[in-house]
Amino acid sequence: PLARGFDEALASAGHAPLTRVAARVLQVNLGKRCNQACHHCHVDAGPDRTEVMPDGVVEAVLALLEATAVPTLDITGGAPELHPRFRDLVRRARA
């Protein structure tokens, strides 16, 4: 058990209460496919990885951007530009 709760720790540090603000960045990971195999990679991406974001999720990301005022899309992954929908995602997100 902790000596004090999260809210109490925030208050003692002068950070309470927490309040939410509007989201300014939507970060999406397009997958683990990458053309390199770096030992330091925090997502364990590489040329043998096949996991990529499915089309339905790409469409959901675009729908969310269209329906909200989130100004920035941060695209990440192994090598996001290797995703088959990368250019389409960027083009439509910019629109």
Side-chain angles (χ1 to χ4, degrees), residues 19-42:
T19 56
R20 68 180 178 94
V21 296
R24 296 186 305 256
V25 177
L26 174 62
Q27 184 178 65
V28 295
N29 183 317
L30 293 186
K32 296 189 177 227
R33 181 180 295 158
C34 186
N35 57 344
Q36 299 181 54
C38 303
H39 292 288
H40 65 272
C41 181
H42 70 284

Side-chain angles (χ1 to χ4, degrees), residues 36-62:
Q36 299 181 54
C38 303
H39 292 288
H40 65 272
C41 181
H42 70 284
V43 295
D44 196 29
D48 297 329
R49 300 302 294 261
T50 59
E51 303 94 335
V52 295
M53 180 181 285
D55 284 342
V57 179
V58 171
E59 291 300 326
V61 166
L62 291 166

Side-chain angles (χ1 to χ4, degrees), residues 25-30 53-68 70 72-75 83 85 88-90 92-94:
V25 177
L26 174 62
Q27 184 178 65
V28 295
N29 183 317
L30 293 186
M53 180 181 285
D55 284 342
V57 179
V58 171
E59 291 300 326
V61 166
L62 291 166
L64 179 77
L65 288 173
E66 189 173 344
T68 64
V70 177
T72 303
L73 175 62
D74 179 10
I75 303 172
H83 190 283
R85 299 271 316 270
D88 179 49
L89 175 63
V90 170
R92 290 176 58 192
R94 289 192 67 200

